[in-house]
């Protein structure tokens, strides 16, 4: 499938997806959100893909936010539909079978922070900036920011970011737990690809069910979450990968996982 605002590449078991609107600092308009949904639907159905790496084109921005030029003329109903479209895409990423790594290579503001938060792991360049500046526009975060940010960094820190609209740098994002790692701009993509390759070498079903257990467990009490964990733990004992993994360990060799 050809995209106008995205570049989708495949590297063995890794899908590299770039948001490609550098002149607009990769801002999310309706067309880009729809293309993201189409791209992630393709990836979800591709059993050869084990990890997704998401980044922005150019060196200035991951995603500088939603497209304010498009938003400025919306009425209430149009704005509600735009917000719902954003929510649907973020939920689609969060519920994707494969883990998604955000490589945040520059500005990640508004919808950019929200897009990164929908991913499982976030790696940042030292030049990255995060923030939810919607209150400076008379708005609030509309793509899940009021919900995911507090879950990731706690209510107090989320409130400060959401109420002030201030930006934070990559080191502060790391300090509060918003990102997993910070690298130099030159190292970011290489390190992100190394992490993707490491994850793609692990048992795909084990990784996917770990993601599912984490996501579901956040909305369950701990006992129900543990029951679910035990259920999928047992399911994996019916797979060839479990047999291969345990045999390889006992035989002191590298396991070769096939995803079934």
């Amino acid at each position: 499938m050809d995209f106008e605002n995205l570049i989708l590449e495949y590297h063995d078991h890794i899908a590299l997806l770039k948001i490609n609107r550098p002149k607009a600092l990769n801002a999310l308009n309706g067309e880009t959100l729809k293309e993201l949904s189409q791209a992630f639907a393709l990836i979800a159905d591709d059993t050869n893909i084990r990890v997704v790496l998401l980044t922005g084109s150019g060196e200035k921005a991951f995603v500088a936010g939603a497209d304010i030029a498009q938003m400025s003329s919306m009425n209430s109903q149009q704005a509600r539909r735009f917000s719902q479209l954003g929510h649907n895409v973020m939920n689609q990423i969060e519920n994707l079978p494969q883990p998604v790594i955000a490589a945040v290579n520059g500005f990640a503001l508004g919808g950019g922070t929200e897009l990164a938060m929908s991913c499982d792991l976030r790696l940042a360049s030292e030049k990255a900036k995060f923030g939810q500046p919607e209150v400076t526009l008379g708005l609030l975060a509309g793509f899940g920011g009021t919900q995911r940010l507090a879950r990731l960094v706690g209510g107090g820190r989320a409130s400060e970011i959401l109420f002030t609209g201030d930006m934070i740098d990559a080191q502060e994002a790391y300090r509060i737990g918003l990102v997993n790692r910070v690298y130099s701009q030159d190292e970011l993509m290489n390190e992100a690809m190394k992490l993707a390759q490491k994850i793609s070498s692990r048992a795909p079903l084990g990784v996917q069910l770990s993601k599912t257990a984490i996501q579901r467990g956040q909305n369950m009490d701990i006992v129900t979450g543990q029951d679910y964990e035990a259920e999928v733990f047992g399911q994996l004992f019916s797979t060839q990968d479990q047999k291969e993994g345990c045999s390889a360990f006992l035989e002191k060799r590298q396991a070769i996982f096939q995803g079934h």
Side-chain angles (χ1 to χ4, degrees), residues 55-212:
T55 193
S57 291
E59 294 187 353
K60 292 184 178 180
F62 172 70
V63 166
D67 193 324
I68 297 172
Q70 186 178 68
M71 291 169 54
S72 62
S73 61
M74 291 180 181
N75 60 34
S76 293
Q77 290 183 339
Q78 291 169 328
R80 185 180 299 111
R81 287 196 294 271
F82 186 59
S83 176
Q84 289 170 338
L85 174 60
H87 286 149
N88 290 342
V89 173
M90 306 307 158
N91 291 339
Q92 185 180 4
I93 295 169
E94 196 169 67
N95 295 316
L96 197 76
Q98 302 94 332
V100 183
I101 302 168
V104 182
N105 54 312
F107 288 107
L109 303 177
T113 291
E114 290 166 309
L115 180 62
M117 290 192 296
S118 70
C119 299
D120 301 286
L121 298 166
R122 286 160 293 282
L123 310 183
S125 136
E126 60 191 2
K127 295 183 178 180
K129 303 286 187 183
F130 298 84
Q132 298 286 168
E134 290 85 355
V135 292
T136 69
L137 302 172
L139 299 169
L140 59 77
F143 291 170
T146 63
Q147 304 306 305
R148 288 191 178 90
L149 189 57
R151 287 168 167 81
L152 282 170
V153 305
R157 291 191 177 101
S159 294
E160 183 176 356
I161 292 168
L162 289 161
F163 295 171
T164 66
D166 289 344
M167 289 191 297
I168 61 173
D169 63 22
Q171 290 298 337
E172 177 66 3
Y174 175 73
R175 188 186 73 82
I176 66 176
L178 183 56
V179 302
N180 297 79
R181 298 275 193 277
V182 178
Y183 298 103
S184 72
Q185 190 81 350
D186 292 339
E187 292 176 322
L188 176 65
M189 290 309 298
N190 284 337
E191 293 298 329
M193 186 60 74
K194 285 180 186 177
L195 179 59
Q197 289 168 341
K198 177 182 283 189
I199 295 171
S200 72
S201 73
R202 306 316 192 206
L205 295 177
V207 171
Q208 290 176 16
L209 286 174
S210 292
K211 173 174 177 171
T212 302

